[in-house]
Amino acid sequence: MNPAQWREGLSPFKPTLATGPLDRGGQLATRPAAGQPLSPDWRLYARSASDDKAGVMTILAGYQALGASKLKPKVNIKFFFEGEEEHGSPHLAQILARHKALLASDVWVICDGPVHQSGRKQVVFGARGDVNLRLQVYGPRRPLHSGHYGNWAPNPALALARLLSSMQDSTGRVRVAGFYDDVTPLTLAEKTALAQVPNLDETIRKELGFARAYGTGQSLVELLNQPSLNINGMQSAKVGPQAANVIPTVASAVLDLRLVPGNDAQRQMQKVVRHIEKQGYHVTTAEPTDAERAQYPLLARVQPETGYNAQRTRLDLPIARQVVAAVQTTTPDRVVVLPTMGGSLPLYVFEQELKAHTITVPLANYDNNQHAENENIRLGNLWDGIETMAAIMLLK
């Protein structure tokens, strides 16, 4: 998190109120005096304000509200907070396996992610898996003057650009062989649920300021039920005021593979590695040796990170219907039912270790800037989340 990327007047670790979204007319504000009402459209800006301190606080505040109202939950409730999700939850499986008896349950309600872009509440029955892959391609051993050595010494930045462009076509379709082969098809119930999700694709596209979305006519929610390959970032030499006339020594990228049911994280990464090899690269997991530099004109170092698979709970389970009904009691608008969210959570671990179902009930505003500068939570979403969590705790 780079504080310099945040808007003037904001700091990632100093919560700041605003009268609305700052990119659409909102102004920085001071905290009102005690007893003065706050508008639900105000925003609280801070790192993790929405992802996921908002979720933690709505769960705790919802439970406290029941106690203050002298309402006793009709189910046994266990709270579980895990702080390594952004690092792939490397110890989650170990914790669940060690405490199976203590954590035995019928369903886990996960509070993470945003509500629907329309503002309507939604209940989500799955999450995509996720695995990252670090990629480096190599040029000369030391930086070279681009005038003296241009057109002769290989440029790793250009090589990386060509390699990455080979992985995806102009519609966003991944060109890695077999990338979609093992996807589990959606059930009829899941397809029906997707057809009922409000389509705000054009509104979102215009708001985000790009002319054409990926896909060949498919909606955003349809594409979220397919695996994806994203470039999280690229780097080679310097740009801007620090740019120099050099041929760089190395070019790097981080790839983000999102997975859906049927995909396996390790198998999906190997498909990408095989694709790199098919482009003529010798692939290594370590810094290339002198012998490898002398032998192979195209060298790539691939470092896979720990990832996890996707998970999806059946929509027709009685407990699933109960959770949707509980959320529906808190809003006059029809609750959006989504088979899979776009984001990733290690939900498959709960299914694998505890044989338990998971259902996600998001609460943050969709424009919360999670994982980026100027992250925020809309106060109305925070209050709605407290009510929603309390309603779920009152399930029979």
Side-chain angles (χ1 to χ4, degrees):
M1 176 59 61
N2 185 355
Q5 295 177 333
W6 284 59
R7 183 189 184 277
E8 184 178 356
L10 297 179
S11 171
F13 304 109
K14 182 182 177 181
T16 305
L17 282 170
T19 59
L22 293 174
D23 58 342
R24 280 164 283 162
Q27 301 294 319
L28 296 179
T30 57
R31 182 175 178 176
Q36 286 190 319
L38 285 168
S39 167
D41 290 324
W42 277 34
R43 305 281 176 113
L44 179 65
Y45 282 82
R47 174 68 180 100
S48 77
S50 61
D51 186 26
D52 198 29
K53 287 179 180 174
V56 171
M57 295 313 298
T58 55
I59 292 170
L60 296 177
Y63 185 74
Q64 290 174 330
L66 293 183
S69 303
K70 294 183 171 45
L71 294 172
K72 186 176 181 180
K74 300 178 177 63
V75 294
N76 292 325
I77 298 173
K78 302 175 184 180
F79 297 105
F80 185 92
F81 301 105
E82 187 261 345
E84 295 185 308
E85 185 257 322
E86 300 297 353
H87 292 284
S89 297
H91 301 99
L92 180 58
Q94 179 183 354
I95 294 170
L96 298 183
R98 182 179 299 174
H99 303 287
K100 282 187 178 181
L102 177 63
L103 298 174
S105 53
D106 298 304
V107 68
W108 286 66
V109 177
I110 311 296
C111 188
D112 189 68
V115 299
H116 188 259
Q117 289 90 344
S118 64
R120 284 163 55 177
K121 295 184 179 184
Q122 65 179 3
V123 178
V124 185
F125 288 84
R128 293 204 282 189
D130 186 28
V131 62
N132 282 10
L133 185 150
R134 297 185 180 275
L135 172 63
Q136 291 177 299
V137 299
Y138 295 86
R141 191 186 304 279
R142 66 175 185 270
L144 299 175
H145 189 284
S146 61
H148 296 322
Y149 294 95
N151 297 338
W152 183 77
N155 189 309
L158 186 59
L160 178 62
R162 288 173 176 153
L163 177 59
L164 294 176
S165 68
S166 74
M167 296 182 183
Q168 196 176 84
D169 67 18
S170 61
T171 71
R173 183 79 177 175
V174 179
R175 299 171 64 185
V176 172
F179 200 77
Y180 303 95
D181 287 355
D182 48 12
V183 172
T184 300
L186 293 170
T187 66
L188 178 59
E190 290 164 347
K191 291 179 180 178
T192 301
L194 285 180
Q196 296 174 347
V197 176
N199 189 324
L200 296 180
D201 287 12
E202 282 302 295
T203 301
I204 301 168
R205 181 188 61 76
K206 292 176 181 177
E207 178 187 323
L208 297 178
F210 58 85
R212 184 178 64 189
Y214 279 164
T216 52
Q218 294 169 292
S219 67
L220 171 60
V221 292
E222 288 175 311
L223 291 171
L224 294 183
N225 284 276
Q226 297 179 15
S228 67
L229 185 154
N230 179 59
I231 301 170
N232 283 359
M234 303 167 59
Q235 183 176 345
S236 187
K238 301 289 193 298
V239 297
Q242 294 181 318
N245 295 326
V246 299
I247 297 172
T249 61
V250 65
S252 305
V254 175
L255 305 185
D256 169 34
L257 308 182
R258 300 285 167 161
L259 317 173
V260 297
N263 294 148
D264 175 77
Q266 299 304 315
R267 189 168 63 240
Q268 204 76 344
M269 281 193 298
Q270 286 306 310
K271 293 175 185 178
V272 176
V273 171
R274 286 196 295 271
H275 177 87
I276 295 171
E277 291 173 335
K278 287 179 180 178
Q279 309 312 304
Y281 280 83
H282 172 72
V283 176
T284 176
T285 57
E287 195 75 15
T289 64
D290 290 343
E292 287 172 324
R293 283 180 174 273
Q295 181 177 358
Y296 301 106
L298 293 175
L299 277 169
R301 182 184 184 185
V302 176
Q303 297 170 281
E305 296 188 356
T306 302
Y308 47 81
N309 293 340
Q311 183 274 342
R312 195 157 61 218
T313 296
R314 285 170 42 200
L315 274 63
D316 58 354
L317 294 176
I319 188 65
R321 293 171 178 168
Q322 283 183 282
V323 171
V324 173
V327 176
Q328 188 64 72
T329 64
T330 68
T331 175
D333 300 317
R334 183 173 179 176
V335 171
V336 175
V337 174
L338 205 60
T340 298
M341 69 162 62
S344 299
L345 292 168
L347 302 185
Y348 90 100
V349 179
F350 296 93
E351 195 172 78
Q352 172 183 280
E353 298 294 338
L354 302 178
K355 312 302 180 190
H357 301 298
T358 64
I359 299 174
T360 301
V361 182
L363 66 93
N365 40 295
Y366 83 93
D367 56 349
N368 63 72
N369 283 21
Q370 66 188 79
H371 292 200
E373 61 272 13
N374 306 333
E375 182 175 352
N376 65 88
I377 183 71
R378 179 179 172 271
L379 297 188
N381 286 71
L382 194 61
W383 300 334
D384 287 347
I386 295 171
E387 183 182 23
T388 299
M389 289 299 111
I392 293 173
M393 293 176 196
L394 291 174
L395 277 173
K396 295 182 180 179

